[in-house]
């Protein structure tokens, strides 16, 4: 092997080592619990993202855009049933999060609260395209109450 070839393979070896080492340091593969906690937090982020404009339209802070309102409401109804999947018993801890351990001591109650949100968001999604702002405000109120009743019991501040 020539000196030039040797240095090329030495460089390749160094590059390969760097490629193997850097992701492990900079972007480590999450544990199952970390990934699950990230999933459920993402779900709540998306819920909040979509509630925001509906709430602002109901309060008159921004103009009512009927199509957007209906779209956000439809998304809420699609997102709500994704919540429970983020709460398996093996993801109580493993990353910073606000889920109280009581969730897993009272899982039937927790599930009932998640189902209440499913129902409230489905109802809101049903009235949203009609443009009846009174019905939409009432529907949003029910969604907010469903959020709150679960947060009060099961979310740490
Ligand atoms: C939101 C949000 C919550 C709920 C809650 C409803 O948009 O981030 O936690 O609605 O405020 O009472």
């Amino acid at each position: 092997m020539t000196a030039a070839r040797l240095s090329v393979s030495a460089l390749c070896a160094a590059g390969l080592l760097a490629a193997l080492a850097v992701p492990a340091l900079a972007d480590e593969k999450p544990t199952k619990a970390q990934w699950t906690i990230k999933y459920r937090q993402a779900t709540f982020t998306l819920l909040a993202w979509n509630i925001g404009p509906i709430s602002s339209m109901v309060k008159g802070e921004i103009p009512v855009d009927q199509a957007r309102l209906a779209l956000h409401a439809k998304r809420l109804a699609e997102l709500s049933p994704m919540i429970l999947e983020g709460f398996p018993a093996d993801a109580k801890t493993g990353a910073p999060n606000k889920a109280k351990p009581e969730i897993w001591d009272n899982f039937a109650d927790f599930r009932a609260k998640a189902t209440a949100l499913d129902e409230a968001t489905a109802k809101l999604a049903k009235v949203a395209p009609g443009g009846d702002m009174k019905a939409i405000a009432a529907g949003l109120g029910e969604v907010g109450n469903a959020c709150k009743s679960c947060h009060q019991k099961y979310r740490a501040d």
Side-chain angles (χ1 to χ4, degrees):
M1 197 182 271
T2 66
R5 282 187 74 100
L6 186 66
S7 69
V8 166
S9 42
L11 273 176
C12 287
L16 187 63
L17 274 179
L20 289 172
V22 168
L25 290 173
D27 190 22
E28 215 165 325
K29 190 174 183 287
T31 63
K32 183 171 179 286
Q34 283 171 334
W35 185 231
T36 305
I37 289 166
K38 194 171 175 148
Y39 164 78
R40 71 176 177 238
Q41 291 174 337
T43 310
F44 292 124
T45 300
L46 290 170
L47 282 160
W49 174 268
N50 286 285
I51 288 171
I54 303 176
S55 170
S56 299
M57 288 183 211
V58 165
K59 288 182 195 156
E61 293 167 355
I62 60 171
V64 174
D65 176 334
Q66 202 50 64
R68 287 213 72 78
L69 197 157
L71 174 66
H72 290 299
K74 179 169 166 278
R75 287 180 182 163
L76 294 178
E78 286 166 357
L79 288 162
S80 179
M82 299 183 196
I83 293 172
L84 278 181
E85 218 174 310
F87 290 88
D90 61 2
K92 289 184 199 180
T93 58
N97 77 101
K98 294 184 183 171
K100 287 188 179 172
E102 285 87 339
I103 290 169
W104 292 275
D105 301 332
N106 307 290
F107 206 82
D109 180 57
F110 182 74
R111 179 183 285 115
K113 289 184 182 304
T115 302
L117 183 65
D118 292 351
E119 288 165 3
T121 53
K123 212 164 146 186
L124 178 61
K126 206 168 165 189
V127 297
D132 175 351
M133 290 310 288
K134 260 181 106 169
I136 291 165
L140 179 65
E142 282 184 44
V143 169
N145 286 338
C147 294
K148 205 189 288 175
S149 92
C150 198
H151 290 166
Q152 282 173 342
K153 202 163 170 188
Y154 295 119
R155 184 179 69 175
D157 294 312

